[in-house]
Amino acid sequence: MQRTTLLSVAVSTLLLAGPAFAQDTPPAMTPEMQAMMEAYQKAGTPGMEHGRLASMAGTYDLVVKSWHAPGAPPSTDPGTATRRMILGNRVMLEEVTSQMMGQPFSGQGLHGFDNVTGKYWGTWNDSMSTGLMVSEGTCDAELTCTYTGTHHDPVTKQPQSSRMTTRWTDKNTEVFEMYGPGPDGRETKMMEITYKRRP
């Protein structure tokens, strides 16, 4: 639906611009069309929140802790992550390589801020799944964040929610934590990743 709306606006803009190219005169716009154009421009303009995301760019060394059962000690694996801004500094792309349960692991996420909803958002997919996690949340000025993400559980085939938090212990160290339902349905810690940015 959103893609259809954006496509409609783009087509309408091109149709309006067509006569302008032919006649070198700007097309007449109704107040409603002008308001729509301004709303889309405002929605698509990077702001302070996108600058905060840009401050996270760099290459990181990771310590990945995974809990496979409540109360059991976590497994610990090293990894690396690279973060860079794309789409005209509107979205941050994160690429991760590590290991999971003794197997090579790679993942890719997008992180952004939606000017329309006023929320931060993220997507995640990796080499252990063909699905996609989509999350939304809030962050403060120091990028201490809380997200809720949803993906489809491979066993039950049903949507499953996870809670994720991030916090910076110093300007180059971030701690990510992920919580989800345990065997008894109660929330349990599933993962912790410490990011250390390289100089």
Side-chain angles (χ1 to χ4, degrees), residues 22-101:
Q23 304 169 12
D24 290 329
T25 58
M29 294 184 69
T30 66
E32 291 79 9
M33 294 167 66
Q34 183 65 38
M36 181 182 291
M37 186 71 70
E38 291 173 358
Y40 272 89
Q41 288 175 342
K42 183 177 180 180
T45 301
M48 174 179 58
E49 293 83 3
H50 304 91
R52 290 174 182 159
L53 291 172
S55 72
M56 299 165 61
T59 300
Y60 294 76
D61 293 307
L62 310 180
V63 176
V64 182
K65 294 182 179 180
S66 304
W67 283 263
H68 304 290
S75 61
T76 302
D77 295 291
T80 60
T82 58
R83 292 171 167 174
R84 60 187 176 87
M85 296 300 287
I86 60 172
L87 302 178
N89 290 322
R90 290 171 175 83
V91 176
M92 184 179 73
L93 169 64
E94 177 173 359
E95 296 178 298
V96 171
T97 59
S98 183
Q99 292 189 38
M100 189 70 67
M101 292 183 280

Side-chain angles (χ1 to χ4, degrees), residues 40-184:
Y40 272 89
Q41 288 175 342
K42 183 177 180 180
T45 301
M48 174 179 58
E49 293 83 3
H50 304 91
R52 290 174 182 159
L53 291 172
S55 72
M56 299 165 61
T59 300
Y60 294 76
D61 293 307
L62 310 180
V63 176
V64 182
K65 294 182 179 180
S66 304
W67 283 263
H68 304 290
S75 61
T76 302
D77 295 291
T80 60
T82 58
R83 292 171 167 174
R84 60 187 176 87
M85 296 300 287
I86 60 172
L87 302 178
N89 290 322
R90 290 171 175 83
V91 176
M92 184 179 73
L93 169 64
E94 177 173 359
E95 296 178 298
V96 171
T97 59
S98 183
Q99 292 189 38
M100 189 70 67
M101 292 183 280
Q103 299 297 316
F105 173 87
S106 60
Q108 186 176 84
L110 298 174
H111 306 273
F113 178 82
D114 189 334
N115 290 338
V116 178
T117 64
K119 297 284 186 69
Y120 286 87
W121 57 266
T123 64
W124 180 259
N125 56 332
D126 57 50
S127 58
M128 294 187 69
S129 171
T130 55
L132 178 71
M133 174 179 276
V134 179
S135 59
E136 186 179 70
T138 58
C139 302
D140 63 17
E142 285 73 41
L143 283 175
T144 298
C145 307
T146 300
Y147 286 83
T148 298
T150 304
H151 70 284
H152 282 82
D153 181 83
V155 177
T156 67
K157 315 295 191 212
Q158 298 300 310
Q160 179 176 300
S161 293
S162 301
R163 181 173 65 90
M164 292 158 284
T165 65
T166 65
R167 56 189 169 85
W168 290 79
T169 58
D170 60 54
K171 68 178 183 178
N172 291 312
T173 307
E174 181 186 19
V175 179
F176 165 89
E177 295 175 303
M178 181 176 180
Y179 301 83
D184 59 0

